[in-house]
Short mmCIF file of all heavy atoms in Angstrom, two decimals:
data_model
loop_
_atom_site.label_atom_id
_atom_site.label_comp_id
_atom_site.label_asym_id
_atom_site.label_seq_id
_atom_site.Cartn_x
_atom_site.Cartn_y
_atom_site.Cartn_z
N VAL Y 7 110.13 116.71 105.30
CA VAL Y 7 108.80 116.73 104.70
C VAL Y 7 108.96 116.47 103.21
O VAL Y 7 109.78 117.10 102.55
CB VAL Y 7 108.11 118.10 104.90
CG1 VAL Y 7 106.75 118.13 104.20
CG2 VAL Y 7 107.97 118.41 106.38
N LEU Y 9 106.86 116.55 99.80
CA LEU Y 9 105.66 116.96 99.09
C LEU Y 9 105.71 116.31 97.72
O LEU Y 9 106.65 116.52 96.95
CB LEU Y 9 105.61 118.48 98.94
CG LEU Y 9 105.63 119.27 100.25
CD1 LEU Y 9 105.73 120.76 99.97
CD2 LEU Y 9 104.41 118.94 101.08
N MET Y 17 101.01 101.49 93.51
CA MET Y 17 101.63 101.35 94.82
C MET Y 17 103.14 101.16 94.71
O MET Y 17 103.90 101.74 95.49
CB MET Y 17 100.99 100.18 95.58
CG MET Y 17 101.34 100.16 97.03
SD MET Y 17 100.75 101.66 97.85
CE MET Y 17 100.58 101.09 99.49
N LEU Y 20 104.67 104.56 94.13
CA LEU Y 20 104.62 105.37 95.34
C LEU Y 20 105.69 104.92 96.33
O LEU Y 20 106.42 105.73 96.89
CB LEU Y 20 103.24 105.29 95.99
CG LEU Y 20 103.05 106.06 97.30
CD1 LEU Y 20 103.32 107.55 97.10
CD2 LEU Y 20 101.66 105.82 97.85
N PHE Y 28 113.13 109.21 101.44
CA PHE Y 28 113.43 108.99 102.85
C PHE Y 28 114.52 107.94 103.11
O PHE Y 28 114.98 107.80 104.24
CB PHE Y 28 112.16 108.56 103.60
CG PHE Y 28 111.18 109.68 103.80
CD1 PHE Y 28 109.97 109.69 103.14
CD2 PHE Y 28 111.48 110.74 104.64
CE1 PHE Y 28 109.06 110.73 103.31
CE2 PHE Y 28 110.57 111.78 104.83
CZ PHE Y 28 109.37 111.77 104.16
N MET Y 37 102.83 104.41 108.82
CA MET Y 37 101.65 103.96 109.54
C MET Y 37 100.54 103.72 108.51
O MET Y 37 100.29 104.57 107.67
CB MET Y 37 101.21 104.99 110.57
CG MET Y 37 102.22 105.18 111.68
SD MET Y 37 101.71 106.40 112.90
CE MET Y 37 100.39 105.51 113.70
N ALA Y 39 100.75 101.25 106.33
CA ALA Y 39 101.43 100.76 105.13
C ALA Y 39 100.72 99.59 104.48
O ALA Y 39 100.82 99.39 103.28
CB ALA Y 39 102.87 100.37 105.46
N PHE Y 43 96.53 100.95 97.73
CA PHE Y 43 96.93 102.16 97.01
C PHE Y 43 95.79 103.18 97.01
O PHE Y 43 96.04 104.39 97.12
CB PHE Y 43 97.34 101.81 95.58
CG PHE Y 43 97.77 103.01 94.77
CD1 PHE Y 43 98.88 103.75 95.13
CD2 PHE Y 43 97.07 103.38 93.65
CE1 PHE Y 43 99.29 104.86 94.38
CE2 PHE Y 43 97.47 104.48 92.89
CZ PHE Y 43 98.57 105.22 93.27
N TRP Y 49 97.14 111.23 99.24
CA TRP Y 49 98.00 111.94 100.19
C TRP Y 49 98.97 112.78 99.38
O TRP Y 49 99.54 112.31 98.40
CB TRP Y 49 98.76 110.96 101.05
CG TRP Y 49 97.91 110.13 101.97
CD1 TRP Y 49 96.56 110.03 101.99
CD2 TRP Y 49 98.38 109.26 103.00
NE1 TRP Y 49 96.17 109.16 102.97
CE2 TRP Y 49 97.26 108.67 103.60
CE3 TRP Y 49 99.64 108.92 103.46
CZ2 TRP Y 49 97.36 107.77 104.64
CZ3 TRP Y 49 99.74 108.03 104.50
CH2 TRP Y 49 98.61 107.47 105.09
N GLU Y 60 107.83 108.05 123.41
CA GLU Y 60 106.46 107.88 123.89
C GLU Y 60 106.17 108.91 124.97
O GLU Y 60 107.07 109.37 125.67
CB GLU Y 60 106.27 106.47 124.45
CG GLU Y 60 106.27 105.41 123.38
CD GLU Y 60 105.88 104.05 123.92
OE1 GLU Y 60 105.03 103.98 124.83
OE2 GLU Y 60 106.44 103.07 123.44
N ALA Y 62 102.85 110.27 127.87
CA ALA Y 62 101.68 109.84 128.62
C ALA Y 62 100.42 109.95 127.77
O ALA Y 62 100.34 110.77 126.86
CB ALA Y 62 101.54 110.69 129.88
N ARG Y 74 108.60 129.03 123.89
CA ARG Y 74 108.80 129.75 122.62
C ARG Y 74 107.71 129.30 121.66
O ARG Y 74 107.04 128.31 121.88
CB ARG Y 74 110.16 129.41 122.02
CG ARG Y 74 111.32 129.78 122.92
CD ARG Y 74 112.65 129.60 122.24
NE ARG Y 74 112.74 128.46 121.36
CZ ARG Y 74 113.79 127.68 121.24
NH1 ARG Y 74 114.87 127.92 121.94
NH2 ARG Y 74 113.81 126.68 120.41
N VAL Y 80 99.79 117.69 114.90
CA VAL Y 80 99.03 116.78 115.74
C VAL Y 80 98.33 115.79 114.83
O VAL Y 80 97.72 116.16 113.85
CB VAL Y 80 97.97 117.56 116.58
CG1 VAL Y 80 97.16 116.60 117.42
CG2 VAL Y 80 98.66 118.61 117.44
#
Side-chain angles (χ1 to χ4, degrees):
V7 177
L9 302 174
M17 193 62 154
L20 178 60
F28 287 111
M37 294 180 71
F43 180 63
W49 294 9
E60 290 188 35
R74 300 187 324 219
V80 179

